[in-house]
Amino acid sequence: MTSTFDAENHEINDDHILGETQEEGIPDPLGDAPPSASSSVHDEASTLSDELGDEGLTGYYPSEDEDERSSRSSRVEDRVPQHNEVTEESTLPPVQVDIATAPLNGSESSGAPIGSPQVSPPSSFSYSRPTSGLSLRSTASPSPQPFERRFQARKPSLQIAASRNVSPGILRAHSRQVSTSSQGTTTSFSDEEDSTPWEVVRWTKLRKISSQVFSEAGKRVFGHRTYLAVAASIAIGTSKGLVLLFDYQQNLKTILGQGTPAAECGAVTSMAMSADHSTVAVGHAIGAIFTWDLSSPKRAFLQIDPISRDNLSNRASDAHVSGSAVLHVGFLGQRRTALVSADEGGMAFSHLATRGLGAVTRVVKTTRILGRYPEAPTSNQADLLPKPSSVLALSPLPLGNIEQQTDDMGLTAMLTPYLLVVVSTTPVAETQYKSRRRDDVTAHSALTGCLAWFPSVRLNSQNREGGRSKSKTKLAYCWSNVLSVLEMDVEEISPNESERRPSLHFRTRASWKCDEAIVAVQWLSRSVLVALTVTQQLMILEDKTLRLSDSTDLNPRHIYHRDVFSNQLQQLVDKEDQDEDSMHGAVADAYYMSFKAYKGRFFLLGLGDISTGILSNWADRLTALMEAGRLINAIELATSYYNGETDKLSVGLPEEDNIRHSVVQEKLLQIISGALDYIFKRDETDDLNQDLRSALGDLIEPIFVACVSMGNGEYLFDEVYEWYSDASCQDLFLLALEQRIVEGKVTVVPSEVLKDITAWYTSFGFSGRLEDIICSLDTSTMDLDQLTTICKTHNLYDAFIYIWNHALDDYITPLVELLRLAEAHNSVEDPRSEVTDEPSASSAKVFPYLAYALTGRVYPYGTDLPLNDANAAKGSLHGFIFSGRPLDWPKSSGKSVRLNSSSGLDYPYLRALLFLSTPQFMSTMNEAFEDGFLNGNQDQASNGPQLVNGAETESGWSMNRQRIVTILLEVLGGDDFSREDKIYLDIFIARNLPKFPQFLLLPSTTLRDILVELCHYPRDDLAEECQLSAEYLLSIHHPTDIQNLIPLFDQAGFFRILKSTYRASKQYSKWLETYFDDPNDQPSVFISIVDCLRPNAGLSSRQIQDVKSTIISHARDLALVDVNQEASLLRVYVPDCLGAVIERLVKDPELQFSFLKALIEPSAPSEGQRKNRMTEAIAQHIDLYIRLMCRFDPSHVSDFVGEVDLGNLQLDSLLPAMEQEGVIDAAVVLLAKSGLIKDAMGKLIRHLQTLQTAISGISEITHQTAGDEQMEESLEELLSTVAKYVKVGIWLCQAPLTEQGAQRAPNAPRTLPQNVTEKELSLTEMMWLNLIDAVVTLSRKASPSLGNEDLSKSDADGLDSRSKEPVDTLLTEKLRVIVQDTFTALLVATAQTSVNADKSSTLPAPTTHITPTHHDIPRFLPILQLFLNRTSASSPSLASIRQVLNSIFSAYAFESSLLSLSSGLLDKDVYLQVEEVHRQRRRGWRPRGRACERCGERVWGIGAGPRVWDDWKDKVIEKRKERARRLEVTVYDDAQMLSGKEITMRPQGKGKGKEKALPNSPSDQHGEVESGGSVDKLQGSSAVVVFACGHILHQLCLDYMHNGSVRDSEARKLSTNQGQKPRSYKCPLCHGPSQG
């Protein structure tokens, strides 16, 4: 069965599933291949040398696996110098590092000079120790709320090491700045050393081979090199059809093809070697294939000739076409008579030769497995040719080192520009996997393709995953810049099913996207993949994650490459649409013939030589760093190798941690020792102590990171610390050690080192940091006697407590020690005496320690103790503290613990703690009460008996909350303690009784006494704490005589208790009054009032009346709290009290105004407030509000008056108040709203005259007192007032008003008479005349430049503002603007077709009862004429108003310019929008496919058939005939109408007309757009509809989808042809079928 593949028919299988593989060596074909007929080849390959001298392949191991190479790499010669050993081998030969001039990491550094072993810290090196616990009893002001605080965990001081300076020996000048505060391992190099000193690939030129191949003589004899193949031999193909075969000693062993027909078949274009290395297959440029048996190379083993292009139609068998170069060839499995090949025409074949006695009897059967034979296209089939294609890559599956069921299937992978195909060729060709090109290929990138197999191999025991003994077969393939790895699983077949073929399953495991196109890909090992890009960049990837581990530039190698595919594929690239992102922009050259990988080595065929290379392993890289003098980088890199934080597989390290650790650890220790030895040797030579300290400071951080990573504390303390001690630099070591100890990375320190730590830190006063170190160490490994002595000597009581608790499980001794410290500090003889001295920091630790221990936490860090340890600690401490007599401690000592402060008293230890600080002890017990240990006998029985370090404290009673409270009441009830101490017990009981009512039971008399004592607190700062405690107590205790306690609550200021008491007893009036007494909760009174007055509140009428009386009596207090809430409250709930409340506020007018404003004009009114804002109760206060507004907010009066209803106003009282306060604009508005327009205008003009007088006076004063800023500000304010009142006047003139008898006659002409009088003017025109006259008069008299009649013409036209006084300039500019604005408003009013108020004005309409009329439109010219008449009467010369006339003309010019500009902008916007719409319409719609979405019939393009062409042709002819008829020209035949030439026609008719060309362009071929669809009006059933979404359907199919029958569609077509309007369509696939 023959299977032929077409690029058009393919499936998609793009599964991207990440997988993992394990490291394994490359299979060894020499060791696993079957026996060969030529034993000499195997002998030659097995004797390959790994050290071949100058001409050999240095270090090549042809048969070792990858694990062997890793172990060999770890045994690389150590070049690190050893201590006190100077030999030629141990020194660093190429390194000349001078410590004085070159630091360890290749950059300059400096350090402080060495003084003594005890280096003084810098002055900025300070340490602040966190304060633990609360203040003691002896402090001046104890915490006011002891029960709200908790003792917090103490954090180690070094956890904030980043903000603390370190010793100068650690700091370095270069940028890497490794310090004691750095965290973790860093694998990055410094900025100065970002380039690596090693070569990623170590290259070796094959000089002997190159000299033979690339010499002039070699080129003449053999031709130019064209192909490189590598296996057991190195084969080089030439342009003369020859193959040169070299061994690995670079000796020319065989020349294939000389004197044979192969030499006449063109250049070698492909080569392959069989699995047993006995046969070489060679493909040639003309399409011929030869195989050569190396045992008899004089004649070809097989010869496969191509088929002549002339005999393609009569071919008897398959073969390559003559002239089509064979680009790829390969052997199938173990057989050397089975091959696959592919040519540049996109065809692939499998070849199988039958066995015979010689070449004559041997027959080759060839089967085509991919592509089509080229056929000469006919004229009718020119558009039906398939896409051009070629086989970019082909590779048969090689054999692994383990037998697979796929070995006999002949699996071959082929890659075309469109498909990846995996085919099995035996026994018949069958497709196993097929996938189209990936969609994520970068758009317009270079067209490339390559692939490479890695077979299944046997896994070592360490590398096995999931129980698999062998790895999966993998295929790496690339399209352009995307590399993918395909895994193949083989379904195993039992021996009983030998006839059934194995089933193969493929999945895409991972993908990687490169920045540029990939031209070649090879497997370097099972875990390392290499890719070559189009710019000759070598990318090294780890297969497991496809992570780029390294890269190198191969441009200096000048790799040979040639153009192979452009002739075949360039047409495809050039003809594709540039907007199509899925295609490529160019075809890249091929590199597969010159880039090979074999046995972990690279082989490159260059333009002038042949090179081989191998990746540098981890040992090579460490050695290169050491040789470069970069010791720190070497230690850091070795540490990263140890931890597995960097590339492992690509540098030859095993992936398993235990194996890798054993390999790297020895090398890492050697590097550290060598680096230290090297530094000290240089120091002995140069005697530069300063540079030695700097170098050791640089080394300490990477050394610590390395040793901590390895867990090698023995080497760290025995070797490294000794080095630093000998150099008097142990401070550097100790600072680095401190960080690791606090971080928990080092927990065991030798006693000698601990002594040095103690001595160094205490000498500098770093006691807190020393405590952090001791508390972070493992106590089981410490010398406890030594540690306790150190802690007591240096007052390290945090560490002292930690050691006793964790090393000895003793919680009593630290408490006794701290109590004795407190007694010694206070020296108290009389326990009731007042202590004034500050307590020591050590004695202050007693209460934090107790709080931690009694709640089961580790002191001082706060972590939880194990349950058994926590119960033991709690039991022993409770039993000791509340013991009624002195106890013997230690138990076996027979000595009782006696304290001076409580000697001879009961409960001595409890009394001692209370004498020390009662508030802090109560806080401690408050925390202890929350612990479940005190729940009673049940919990304690489960936790065991209460012990004091293993001994039962007392028998017959258990420790619980009830007993503790009883003991405290007994102890504190005596005279030994002050009232202040007792109040803390009352607070403690009141706070805990509601929490634990089931565990605490106290009589009512005791509780009442506690409540009374809480009301008599000794200090004011305890008031809030006592009130809160009383609230807690009252929540569970309800006294029967609560009313008798109210005076106590009132005297104590317990307002919250009073409120709750009054409300509970329904005394609402007193409840509300309490809010006014409480300064902290007054705003809540409004909520309480609402609760009383809301519906269904349940209050009686008497109670409601009491609430109202309280509101009225406290009206001022409510307003002071929040006047807005008070107004809202009265408006909604008690509007009948408004009058009384306002009357109450009469003594404070400003507060009264604020209340009225919030009442009448709320800032953010709700919907209900807006509707009911002017209720009757509120409206009666509007007059008062306006009068107060004139006084406190005059600028808002006019706006408010314009909005308010006239019926609520009393003009007789308001107008005098407005005039008295100078709020004339509001008076004008009020008169206008009342219909008194003339009175309003008269009042306004009179006020303008008053302002004119004021301006003139101030102006004169300002001239006399030049530079008076206050007068100038007053002048500016007056001018702003003038502008405001002028706007009010304009608003009056623009108002649509008439008065009876004042307007013109209805039929009065609007033309200008010869002599118009003021009596003929309407009211509106008269108002305009008076306003303009007043404004101009004010301007003339106030401004010198506008009113000076003696100015010359030039001066009148415009004065230079720089020559004027500042006051004159200000007056001139401001008044000119006012005049111009007035005339501009008049011009606008005269141009209106209807009378409208100024929209920009915030003033209201003057009235509602006067009707407007169209005759009130003012006339400009009569007004101007009468204005000039008035001016001439008062001034004979018009020179005084030239500036006014200029303002008028400027207003005209301004209006005209504005209209022109607006018109231009509008025209431009309209043009741009229309142009965009036109462009979108002409662009048209592009269909998604070529077939109808319903019937699937091809409607356009290739394969559409002649019917569509005929319909289109008829349509074009019909359109052009119609166009010709419109132009009245003669129509020629159809052939001329369809020709590509331009037809020139002359219209028929009268007159001369210009010739018009009838274009033969396809622009008219677009269909008409009908509601979302574009219809091609073709004849018959070929009419199609294209929608904007890209769907395309036949019109008949579309009608059927909409209507369900074809008959309706035919009727519609008939109606359409008769001239009816076509139907509108919507895409049925996007919107669903619709009727229309």
Side-chain angles (χ1 to χ4, degrees), residues 74-92:
S74 65
R75 298 190 298 269
V76 177
E77 178 184 359
D78 183 22
R79 302 185 183 181
V80 181
Q82 301 299 320
H83 184 53
N84 295 330
E85 180 183 358
V86 183
T87 63
E88 184 178 355
E89 291 79 7
S90 63
T91 58
L92 301 175

Side-chain angles (χ1 to χ4, degrees), residues 42 97 341 567 667 715 760 773 821 851 872 909 1139 1221 1480 1487 1512:
H42 292 280
V97 180
S341 60
N567 291 335
K667 185 74 172 178
Y715 176 81
W760 192 83
I773 292 174
L821 274 176
Y909 312 122
E1221 299 296 337
Q1480 294 289 344
W1512 178 83

